[in-house]
Amino acid sequence: MVRWGLLRGVTMSGLMTLAASCQTTGYNSGERVEIDCERSPIQSGWGDVFTPPWGKCHRTTASKVELMITSHSRYFEIPGGYGYAAYQSADKNTYIFQQSVRDIARLYKNRTRGSLGWEEPRTESFAGQDYQVQRFTLRRQSCAVYLLNGAPMPMYPGYRDRVFGYVCANRLEREVLERLLTSFSYDISRAESAPVILLPVKKAG
């Protein structure tokens, strides 16, 4: 679940710009759709990572017109395990507060119910990028919540985009986690003009 309360518009003049742009750029606020996973911005270059036919890819936009942000999520499977990946992208004077990996873990509390052995968060570097990682155990599998430490925006106290998720496997060794996270690419343009299925918007709480 994406908590839009973590996002902020910047200025009142910016809000007027946002309202106008929502009518001219095709951005639809408060929208939740299912999108073909082949057109999802979240892709993996690792051949063993895939989304099964019954798996879903979703796109959600903020419900408030002054908060222009798009969130893509994707379920995927890897050898001996599975996971979820999320990519949020802000636009038009909107920025994202970069949270901690503990905050991300709370977003997934329904999916990690019954988990045990939560370790202290640590920073791990994969291919020159730093991730916050917190490991735990769920139904006899080793798991990890992750959050990519993004580069802050030069003008505002926030971030243009955010990458996070979690993964579980029978043996989630560091090499497996590194191979998975470095295999992902994120490109919002992949979803442009992609056919979608409109879904009901989930209510907060």
Side-chain angles (χ1 to χ4, degrees), residues 28-77:
N28 296 313
S29 60
E31 183 182 63
R32 181 170 179 264
V33 301
E34 181 181 322
I35 186 171
D36 185 348
C37 289
E38 293 295 326
R39 300 290 296 273
S40 171
I42 306 171
Q43 299 291 334
S44 172
W46 182 10
D48 287 333
V49 176
F50 68 97
T51 298
W54 50 264
K56 304 296 182 183
C57 293
H58 293 120
R59 182 182 71 207
T60 308
T61 55
S63 59
K64 295 183 178 180
V65 70
E66 66 269 22
L67 303 179
M68 290 190 68
I69 185 167
T70 303
S71 178
H72 284 267
S73 61
R74 181 171 188 169
Y75 171 84
F76 59 88
E77 294 189 352

Side-chain angles (χ1 to χ4, degrees), residues 104-181:
I104 299 303
R106 283 192 284 269
L107 292 178
Y108 290 118
K109 63 181 180 180
N110 291 333
R111 291 174 178 162
T112 60
R113 185 172 287 118
S115 57
L116 302 168
W118 285 85
E119 299 179 2
E120 287 297 310
R122 57 185 299 177
T123 298
E124 299 197 30
S125 182
F126 303 132
Q129 293 187 304
D130 290 336
Y131 291 81
Q132 295 180 46
V133 177
Q134 189 172 19
R135 292 180 175 272
F136 61 98
T137 302
L138 178 64
R139 291 187 286 273
R140 298 184 180 181
Q141 288 189 316
S142 55
C143 307
V145 178
Y146 63 88
L147 169 65
L148 176 63
N149 290 335
M153 295 170 61
M155 298 296 293
Y156 303 119
Y159 298 80
R160 177 61 67 197
D161 53 22
R162 182 166 66 166
V163 171
F164 61 91
Y166 83 91
V167 58
C168 293
N170 295 332
R171 295 185 63 184
L172 187 61
E173 299 173 340
R174 187 184 190 280
E175 291 75 14
V176 175
L177 185 61
E178 179 176 14
R179 185 173 185 182
L180 174 66
L181 297 186

Side-chain angles (χ1 to χ4, degrees), residues 5-36:
L6 303 175
L7 312 172
R8 296 290 186 272
V10 177
T11 63
M12 286 301 293
S13 61
L15 300 187
M16 289 186 289
T17 301
L18 296 176
S21 64
C22 285
Q23 298 172 4
T24 59
T25 64
Y27 181 94
N28 296 313
S29 60
E31 183 182 63
R32 181 170 179 264
V33 301
E34 181 181 322
I35 186 171
D36 185 348

